[in-house]
Amino acid sequence: GGLGDLTDGVVAPDFWFNTETAAGAGPYVGWRGDVGVANPLITFNFAGPVLIDTITIHMDNSRTGGVGTPSQIWVDGVAQAFAGPANGTIGLVTLSGLNLSGPSHTIQFFQDTTFVWTFVSEISFFGERDGVVPEPGTWALMIAGFGLAGAALRRRRSVAA
């Protein structure tokens, strides 16, 4: 989960033209390259360092109203090979084997000259937190386990004597 429309866990169930309102209130975030923001760069800030292996992007490739898959997607300034959803569909773009480390990462969409809009409904990051300190409950269980192991060893010594 996150604090924005792209990381709120809501995946658009249909094309942009069936789910967006005239005011733009809906599950998609869109960029228009020929008039508005060309090749948008989006920065994602995490609560701490993370190790990310895979990113999935839910994208509209309806080919309607100038909406299509971008020609390139860069993650942290590096171009990624990807296969977009089939023409005339919505679907996933999966970027895997990334091995990203750190507390923030960027995704940049380079828009196709034919399809000037990029519409994305959700971006998910898969990996783990980096340098995680165990929570207090984990520490308590670990200490209790050491205590039980110590008590068992002490009991075993006293029985043998």
Side-chain angles (χ1 to χ4, degrees):
L3 300 175
D5 284 343
L6 291 177
T7 57
D8 62 1
V10 177
V11 175
D14 203 351
F15 296 113
W16 70 271
F17 51 84
N18 290 329
T19 58
E20 292 296 312
T21 66
Y28 283 103
V29 175
W31 300 271
R32 183 174 175 178
D34 65 335
V35 175
V37 179
N39 307 328
L41 176 69
I42 309 155
T43 301
F44 295 88
N45 296 305
F46 297 87
V50 292
L51 297 172
I52 296 172
D53 180 60
T54 303
I55 298 173
T56 59
I57 304 168
H58 295 266
M59 190 172 288
D60 185 321
N61 192 20
S62 63
R63 307 289 202 181
T64 301
V67 174
T69 306
S71 61
Q72 295 181 53
I73 299 174
W74 288 21
V75 176
D76 288 351
V78 177
Q80 302 295 316
F82 72 96
N87 291 344
T89 67
I90 57 172
L92 283 178
V93 170
T94 301
L95 309 173
S96 59
L98 298 173
N99 197 28
L100 304 174
S101 179
S104 70
H105 299 284
T106 61
I107 296 177
Q108 187 167 17
F109 298 108
F110 288 85
Q111 291 154 310
D112 188 291
T113 56
T114 305
F115 299 99
V116 295
W117 281 95
T118 299
F119 273 155
V120 175
S121 71
E122 181 70 12
I123 299 178
S124 301
F125 298 86
F126 299 93
E128 58 188 60
R129 293 187 298 183
D130 189 13
V132 176
V133 175
E135 294 187 18
T138 303
W139 280 110
L141 284 172
M142 189 170 62
I143 291 168
F146 285 135
L148 288 171
L153 285 174
R154 179 176 281 190
R155 182 177 181 152
R156 204 178 287 165
R157 278 192 212 149
S158 66
V159 170

